[in-house]
């Protein structure tokens, strides 16, 4: 791209059009040249303790992920739609969280894993069927749709009112965040994707997941690494009141720390784990956004969970506008 030529174009709209046609990041065919696709899935397994190494499952860029990227590139070229979204986000952002704005505008869908990657992580076949899925913090339901065919009943939770509306549009049952973990509520699979690092009480949620799994049930827990937790509260981002003891700097060290310092002491048995890109539809600035996700498949063991003392929990009454 000719940067000087781009700077000489004073009209913002024409400058965006020019960059979309000259900047190689907008060329779908040059994805692997412009973005570290191999790194999205790479893991130095030798940095993990020996007893965890065999549980890592190597994934790669597959067809469903490619389809999501195709759609992201296509949508990012909808110039007038993207201009409207950018303008609306500026004004709505004063009174709504980013998640709620995205839900209202129907933008920013996420992608964590494909159907085949889900099957591989759980070790199930195409015909496998379970009774009840609970998807915590389901967003607009786009990720739920990837695995919905494997379940007879689906229950979701979501804090954002506009995302609740989107879930209802897709036909998913939405329950209050205080209702899913009742004394008689049991689920075959609980999906908790990128919620642990975005909620106020992650320790309490892990406790509720543990006691809400049916016998033999599994939980799918993911979080973005490096670990930087915050909680959306309107236009603000607050610190969570419960803190998780996750140490290290690299993806591998933090993933191992989450397993050893959080999941295992919480009464879970690790079945498998992997590294995946947490993808989000793009905008006028980028065709898509990507973060590094760690995805864990766990079962609840018989030891239960000791709610105090295992995770360096502490209550805080503070907020920070990040």
């Amino acid at each position: 791209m000719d940067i000087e030529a781009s700077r000489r174009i004073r009209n913002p709209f024409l400058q965006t059009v020019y960059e979309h046609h000259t900047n190689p990041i907008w060329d779908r065919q040059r994805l692997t040249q412009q973005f570290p696709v191999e790194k999205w899935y790479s893991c130095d397994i030798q940095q993990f303790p020996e007893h965890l190494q065999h549980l890592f499952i190597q994934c790669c860029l597959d067809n469903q992920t490619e389809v999501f990227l195709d759609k992201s590139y296509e949508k990012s070229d909808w110039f007038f739609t993207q201009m409207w979204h950018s303008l609306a986000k500026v004004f709505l952002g004063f009174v709504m969280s980013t998640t709620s704005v995205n839900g209202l505008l129907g933008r920013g869908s996420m992608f964590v894993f494909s159907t085949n990657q889900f099957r591989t992580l759980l070790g199930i076949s195409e015909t496998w069927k379970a009774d009840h899925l609970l998807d915590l913090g389901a967003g607009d339901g786009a990720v739920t749709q990837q695995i919905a065919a494997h379940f007879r009943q689906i229950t979701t939770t979501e804090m954002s009112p506009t995302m609740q509306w989107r879930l209802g549009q897709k036909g998913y049952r939405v329950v209050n965040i205080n209702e899913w973990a009742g004394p008689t509520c049991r689920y075959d699979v609980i999906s908790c994707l990128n919620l642990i690092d975005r909620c106020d009480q992650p320790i309490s949620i892990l406790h509720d997941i543990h006691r809400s799994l049916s016998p033999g049930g599994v939980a799918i827990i993911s979080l973005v690494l490096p670990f930087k937790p915050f909680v959306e509260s309107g236009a603000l981002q607050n610190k969570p009141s419960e803190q998780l003891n996750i140490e290290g700097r690299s993806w591998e060290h933090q993933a191992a720390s989450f397993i050893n310092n959080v999941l295992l002491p919480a009464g879970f048995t690790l079945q498998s784990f992997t590294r995946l890109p947490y993808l989000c539809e793009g905008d006028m600035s980028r065709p898509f956004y990507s973060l590094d996700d760690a995805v864990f498949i766990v079962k609840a063991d018989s030891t239960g969970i000791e709610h105090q003392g295992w995770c360096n929990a502490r209550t805080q009454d503070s907020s920070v506008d990040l």
Side-chain angles (χ1 to χ4, degrees), residues 65-186:
T65 311
E66 294 265 23
V67 169
F68 177 85
L69 290 170
D70 287 341
K71 292 180 180 178
S72 295
Y73 273 88
E74 179 184 355
K75 289 183 177 181
S76 65
D77 276 336
W78 296 351
F79 293 114
F80 292 106
T81 299
Q82 294 296 344
M83 288 180 65
W84 154 242
H85 285 173
S86 297
L87 182 63
K89 186 177 179 181
V90 169
F91 290 98
L92 293 174
F94 288 107
V95 294
M96 300 172 68
S97 68
T98 299
T99 300
S100 290
V101 172
N102 287 341
L104 181 63
L105 298 176
R107 67 184 296 275
S109 283
M110 304 292 191
F111 187 95
V112 178
F113 44 60
S114 67
T115 305
N116 285 335
Q117 289 166 346
F118 168 77
R119 291 170 183 159
T120 300
L121 288 170
L122 267 66
I124 59 176
S125 68
E126 293 182 13
T127 58
W128 181 86
K129 205 87 165 172
D131 183 47
H132 202 173
L133 166 70
L134 171 67
D135 193 356
L136 298 172
D140 65 357
V143 178
T144 316
Q145 287 180 309
Q146 298 292 337
I147 60 178
H150 285 291
F151 300 94
R152 300 180 184 90
Q153 181 181 356
I154 297 174
T155 299
T156 64
T157 72
E158 178 55 54
M159 285 281 291
S160 165
T162 60
M163 288 300 187
Q164 292 175 8
W165 170 55
R166 293 293 180 186
L167 289 167
Q169 284 185 321
K170 291 181 171 67
Y172 297 132
R173 175 173 174 254
V174 184
V175 300
N176 188 280
I177 59 172
N178 298 317
E179 295 176 355
W180 64 270
T184 61
C185 296
R186 293 294 180 270

Side-chain angles (χ1 to χ4, degrees), residues 5 51 76 93 133 156 171 211 239 259 286 288 295 306 316:
H51 69 281
S76 65
L133 166 70
T156 64
R211 67 185 178 90
K239 291 183 178 180
I259 295 168
R286 293 177 67 88
F288 65 88
V295 183
E306 294 184 11
Q316 298 184 1

